[in-house]
Amino acid sequence: MTWAVVTGVCGAVFLATVVQQVSGFGFALLCVPLASLVVGPKDAVAVAMLAGLVSSGKMAHGLRAQVHRPELRRLLLGAALGLPIGVVGLRLLPDDPLRVALAVVVLTMVAVLAGGYRRASTAPRTQVAAGVLSGLLNGSLGTGGPPVIVLLQATGTEQHRFRATTTAFFATCDLAAIPLILVSGATTATGWWSAAASIPVLLVGDRVGHRLAYRIDRDQFARVVLGLLAVTAVVTLVAVFA
């Protein structure tokens, strides 16, 4: 593990932490493709899992009173079914297909959110299904956010309830995924050590993002985040085919 790797991972973690604190999503969606440019997609999942657990867990604890628990339970039920299958995919799939799949997932989510998809409500079974898909994506790509984000955004969930519920979901999923990924042997020590080295930077990003969360207009910031996600996905694709 070189200083260039540590610096690259720390930069990805810092940016992702600030974005998540302000918007309630985006940590893994930014962290995984950016970190994959320096440590590869599989070790980038390890970075997102360990650093994401700290980031989401800290944020979820602070917002715990605003979590919508029935919704969270249904999402976690689905994730428990999808996560082990996703980890198998992480173990078996080569790096380049994982990078392409990651970019496609990010760009699809950007298109759906930018298109303003809305619905009045969602049935409990839809929430469980979103959890299953999220678990699959989390275990294989480290980016389980899109199904949950789209679901909550589509129903117009209030900003701080959205932040509380999504971060509680992400933290719980990361906590469950880490031992599964360790046992699978899909990642190397580089991912875990670089993630651990990024924790101090993460804490700085957490404080910066927390201050910004109550000062920046959410809609305006969301547009910036979507643009940043799109650029990150394109860069990931270029790295595969260059």
Side-chain angles (χ1 to χ4, degrees):
M1 186 173 64
T2 66
W3 281 109
V5 168
V6 173
T7 301
V9 168
C10 285
V13 168
F14 177 82
L15 181 60
T17 302
V18 172
V19 166
Q20 176 161 293
Q21 269 287 357
V22 177
S23 67
F25 72 93
F27 183 88
L29 288 169
L30 278 175
C31 186
V32 174
L34 289 176
S36 72
L37 297 175
V38 291
V39 296
K42 295 188 178 185
D43 281 343
V45 171
V47 171
M49 290 293 180
L50 184 56
L53 174 60
V54 176
S55 177
S56 296
K58 187 175 184 299
M59 187 173 171
H61 182 266
L63 296 170
R64 61 190 181 281
Q66 295 166 283
V67 173
H68 189 261
R69 285 172 172 75
E71 197 167 50
L72 176 62
R73 283 194 293 268
R74 289 189 284 268
L75 291 170
L76 289 174
L77 172 62
L81 300 175
L83 184 60
I85 301 172
V87 172
V88 172
L90 177 68
R91 177 69 178 85
L92 298 179
L93 291 174
D95 284 358
D96 283 349
L98 283 173
R99 284 193 175 100
V100 172
L102 175 62
V104 169
V105 167
V106 173
L107 288 173
T108 300
M109 197 206 76
V110 168
V112 171
L113 292 180
Y117 174 65
R118 292 289 184 270
R119 59 187 299 168
S121 62
T122 55
R125 64 178 177 275
T126 303
Q127 296 168 3
V128 174
V132 172
L133 182 55
S134 179
L136 285 168
L137 293 173
N138 199 43
S140 58
L141 301 174
T143 55
V148 175
I149 292 163
V150 169
L151 183 76
L152 296 182
Q153 288 275 62
T155 54
T157 304
E158 187 274 329
Q159 178 181 1
H160 299 300
R161 173 175 151 181
F162 176 93
R163 294 169 66 225
T165 304
T166 54
T167 52
F169 175 77
F170 298 150
T172 305
C173 286
D174 288 343
L175 185 63
I178 287 173
L180 291 177
I181 292 174
L182 283 170
V183 170
S184 76
T187 57
T188 70
T190 297
W192 301 109
W193 281 114
S194 56
S198 73
I199 299 301
V201 175
L202 182 153
L203 296 176
V204 175
D206 181 81
R207 181 171 291 274
V208 172
H210 181 74
R211 289 179 178 273
L212 291 175
Y214 295 93
R215 298 181 183 181
I216 295 180
D217 176 75
R218 186 190 179 195
D219 292 336
Q220 182 179 13
F221 185 76
R223 288 192 290 271
V224 174
V225 171
L226 292 180
L228 186 59
L229 290 172
V231 170
T232 301
V234 171
V235 170
T236 302
L237 287 175
V238 170
V240 173
F241 296 108

